[in-house]
Amino acid sequence: MVVKRKKWSEDFAEWFRSTLIDATVMDYRYPIKGCGVWLPYGFKIRRNILQILRDLLDSTGHEETLFPLLIPESSLAKESTHVQGFEEECFWVTHGGLTPLKVKYALRPTSETAIAPMLKLWIRSHKDLPLKLYQVVNIFRYETKATRPLLRMREVATFKEAHTTHATREEVEAQVMEAVNIYKEFFDELGVPHLVSKRPKWDTFAGAEYSIAFDMVCPDGRSLQIGTVHNLGQTFSKAFDITYENMEGKQEYVWQACYGISGRGVAGVLISHGDDQGFVIPPSIAPIQVVIIPIIYKEIEEQINKTCEDVAKRLKVANIKVELDLRADLTPGAKFYYWERRGVPIRVEIGPRDVKQNEVTIVRRDTLEKQNCTIGEVTTVIRTLTEEIMEDLRGKAWRWMRDNVRRVDSLEETKQLLAEKTGVVEVLWCKSRDCGLKLEKETNARILGIPLDLEERMIDGKCISCGRKATHIVRVAIAY
Ligand code: ZN
């Protein structure tokens, strides 16, 4: 599986495509457009990333569940804005064998309408609330735009969606903020820099009162939505008649929130820390944290291999995930290349000089810096190094993103920056729909929304579009 490789910094889209397959993360050459295969190495990365989110959700009172893949059209159609948002994107099951179905089934594009009819059966009184469920499933969307591996798939194989139900508006508002904080923690742990914005009214999730989104900036200057949190209000509870008996014995509609991160959550990690050599997997989620490569010198081959095995054993005992590459048909150089593009964060080289001095040579994947240490120190040094690497990856990714978010005063400059795809542009806005849509049209870009942490702050200045008093800062970008 040799694919022509492109550089992270020069042709990001092609770099990502080719590195995914070259680093054995995902093979997207499946005979259905927009579907790909998670390869064993990629699957392990995916699993380790998922575990972080599962731990965060489990520790905040969410419970994992699993709803069916099929949603009857009658359920999907119950809420009108929701069905309008999704019906054209659905894959439909129309036949059972050769018999046309009386009610066709959608392959879930998202699960609100799979969950709602069941909530109606389960929720009786205020004692049943809050109910916080999540599932990790595949979803299907008939994408008509060009599909891209992991970024725009027809089968999103790793959709982590949470659905929560509450008694009051205040509780659902608080849940939305809890979800935002969970996602912040998730991306922070992975060192993925993010912008949190409240999407404009015309770009909210179908059926939601408002949507908050996490975006990152890709190396080509485009933004990538990597997570969303929606306040659904009572939209679905009214459509599906989901009520509970309150303390006074009265029936009330429940309040709901939902939030999700797709396969783009994994993509975000791979993109944030990639470079021209390939991926750099953060040590905390790397399936292989250290690879040991012998630098064979004929006369003492046996001694070198033995030292390698000894070091591997020491690391294993210390719970460090280590791989010993003893393949005889590859040169050390070919092995370096092989593990570099897979992003194994630390390489240990052991050659004749190391053996003689009872040392090893340690190379960081992210900086390619070398250092030596004695075999006795190897575990301690590598432990410290994994923490340093994680810190450095996080710092470097955040610095890069901050450099690519620019505050701009003039429409001309905004247009120019967006035409050159130089990242996210922040401008002043009066919050009117007309000005927003005009801005999107004139820049061919997407309004990502108002920075969540600045939502409440009053702004001094003029709207970039109409010149009247501005009320908010708004982010604009060419989006994936
Ligand atoms: Zn305006």
Side-chain angles (χ1 to χ4, degrees):
M1 279 201 286
V2 177
V3 186
K4 202 172 161 216
R5 299 179 60 230
K6 296 279 183 173
K7 287 188 171 183
W8 183 90
S9 47
E10 284 168 10
D11 186 350
F12 158 69
E14 202 38 53
W15 169 87
F16 191 56
R17 261 179 102 77
S18 56
T19 311
L20 274 175
I21 192 167
D22 213 24
T24 61
V25 170
M26 171 175 270
D27 196 334
Y28 50 83
R29 296 172 299 179
Y30 190 75
I32 295 178
K33 180 179 148 81
C35 296
V37 181
W38 282 95
L39 298 168
Y41 182 65
F43 195 86
K44 288 183 189 120
I45 296 171
R46 174 187 178 273
R47 190 170 59 193
N48 292 343
I49 291 174
L50 273 178
Q51 194 55 47
I52 295 176
L53 192 62
R54 280 198 164 101
D55 289 346
L56 283 167
L57 291 169
D58 290 347
S59 66
T60 45
H62 297 73
E63 290 185 294
E64 189 162 0
T65 174
L66 185 57
F67 280 77
L69 168 65
L70 300 175
I71 303 176
E73 188 185 23
S74 47
S75 288
L76 198 79
K78 262 209 164 105
E79 207 294 300
S80 61
T81 46
H82 187 73
V83 71
Q84 278 163 25
F86 283 107
E87 66 185 346
E88 284 183 23
E89 278 187 27
C90 280
F91 280 94
W92 293 99
V93 177
T94 57
H95 285 72
L98 297 174
T99 316
L101 295 172
K102 284 201 180 97
V103 175
K104 58 181 181 175
Y105 304 141
L107 300 185
R108 66 178 153 228
T110 173
S111 299
E112 287 69 27
T113 56
I115 291 171
M118 302 312 291
L119 294 180
K120 183 178 163 55
L121 301 175
W122 296 339
I123 294 168
R124 287 277 162 264
S125 91
H126 59 91
K127 286 180 207 138
D128 299 322
L129 300 173
L131 183 62
K132 294 157 77 169
L133 302 174
Y134 75 95
Q135 58 178 3
V136 182
V137 292
N138 49 354
I139 56 166
F140 293 83
R141 295 200 183 158
Y142 182 65
E143 291 286 356
T144 46
K145 292 186 198 168
T147 55
R148 294 170 184 276
L150 268 190
L151 304 186
R152 189 175 296 282
M153 302 288 279
R154 285 185 169 174
E155 180 186 18
V156 177
T158 318
F159 193 58
K160 304 161 272 289
E161 54 175 336
H163 297 264
T164 65
T165 312
H166 308 269
T168 64
R169 177 185 282 281
E170 292 69 39
E171 280 174 35
V172 78
E173 295 277 355
Q175 190 57 43
V176 164
M177 284 321 296
E178 181 186 88
V180 167
N181 289 327
I182 287 171
Y183 283 2
K184 274 187 188 169
E185 208 174 321
F186 171 68
F187 287 119
D188 280 341
E189 204 159 326
L190 296 164
V192 176
H194 48 267
L195 300 166
V196 190
S197 314
K198 193 167 184 177
R199 288 274 190 261
K201 260 276 172 235
W202 61 89
D203 193 17
T204 47
F205 177 76
E209 284 196 1
Y210 60 83
S211 297
I212 294 166
F214 283 66
D215 298 286
M216 62 175 280
V217 185
C218 292
D220 60 359
R222 287 180 176 222
S223 68
L224 180 71
Q225 175 178 299
I226 47 175
T228 47
V229 180
H230 312 288
N231 185 336
L232 301 174
Q234 294 180 314
T235 306
F236 291 91
S237 64
K238 286 182 176 162
F240 285 84
D241 194 29
I242 310 165
T243 60
Y244 73 99
E245 192 180 276
N246 70 12
M247 305 260 213
E248 288 81 46
K250 272 187 11 200
Q251 291 294 315
E252 294 209 41
Y253 289 113
V254 298
W255 298 81
Q256 292 177 289
C258 68
Y259 28 104
I261 295 177
S262 71
R264 287 178 170 193
V266 180
V269 180
L270 301 174
I271 294 166
S272 297
H273 308 306
D275 62 20
D276 291 349
Q277 275 76 41
F279 294 141
V280 181
I281 310 298
S284 57
I285 54 146
I288 301 168
Q289 294 168 309
V290 178
V291 60
I292 302 175
I293 298 175
I295 313 294
I296 296 302
Y297 185 74
K298 275 285 167 248
E299 274 90 280
I300 53 163
E301 184 176 345
E302 204 178 311
Q303 206 185 339
I304 289 173
N305 282 342
K306 216 174 134 278
T307 310
C308 287
E309 274 158 21
D310 171 43
V311 172
K313 214 161 133 192
R314 283 167 187 264
L315 294 175
K316 246 179 229 162
V317 169
N319 272 328
I320 293 165
K321 292 171 198 145
V322 59
E323 174 90 14
L324 175 53
D325 189 349
L326 292 178
R327 288 177 292 181
D329 56 333
L330 288 182
T331 63
K335 290 180 186 176
F336 296 169
Y337 174 77
Y338 178 90
W339 295 108
E340 270 174 17
R341 62 194 164 153
R342 276 166 182 71
V344 172
I346 296 168
R347 176 171 90 218
V348 171
E349 300 170 12
I350 300 172
R353 222 185 62 178
D354 297 303
V355 167
K356 213 162 118 198
Q357 295 176 342
N358 204 31
E359 280 188 354
V360 298
T361 303
I362 299 174
V363 186
R364 287 172 65 147
R365 165 64 183 84
D366 59 332
T367 57
L368 300 177
E369 279 167 3
K370 282 190 179 193
Q371 66 180 100
N372 290 79
C373 76
T374 66
I375 289 176
E377 296 166 331
V378 73
T379 311
T380 325
V381 170
I382 282 178
R383 269 238 181 80
T384 314
L385 202 55
T386 54
E387 279 164 34
E388 268 176 41
I389 291 172
M390 193 62 232
E391 250 343 278
D392 291 352
L393 287 177
R394 190 180 284 124
K396 190 178 155 205
W398 272 100
R399 274 194 303 280
W400 190 88
M401 191 189 75
R402 287 201 178 105
D403 287 346
N404 286 283
V405 178
R406 295 176 179 80
R407 193 69 63 87
V408 169
D409 295 323
S410 81
L411 185 60
E412 273 320 300
E413 200 184 342
T414 305
K415 279 189 195 167
Q416 193 195 334
L417 286 171
L418 291 170
E420 290 165 7
K421 292 197 198 117
T422 42
V424 172
V425 178
E426 292 182 340
V427 298
L428 295 182
W429 181 37
C430 67
K431 219 187 169 185
S432 87
R433 186 190 172 94
D434 285 352
C435 282
L437 292 175
K438 193 176 142 213
L439 186 58
E440 284 190 329
K441 204 172 162 213
E442 287 189 12
T443 53
N444 283 318
R446 178 180 181 184
I447 290 198
L448 302 181
I450 295 165
L452 193 67
D453 50 347
L454 298 178
E455 205 199 346
E456 305 297 332
R457 216 167 75 189
M458 287 313 286
I459 299 294
D460 215 18
K462 285 178 180 166
C463 170
I464 195 168
S465 191
C466 67
R468 287 188 305 242
K469 188 179 166 10
T471 53
H472 290 88
I473 288 169
V474 72
R475 295 180 172 131
V476 195
I478 307 288
Y480 266 109

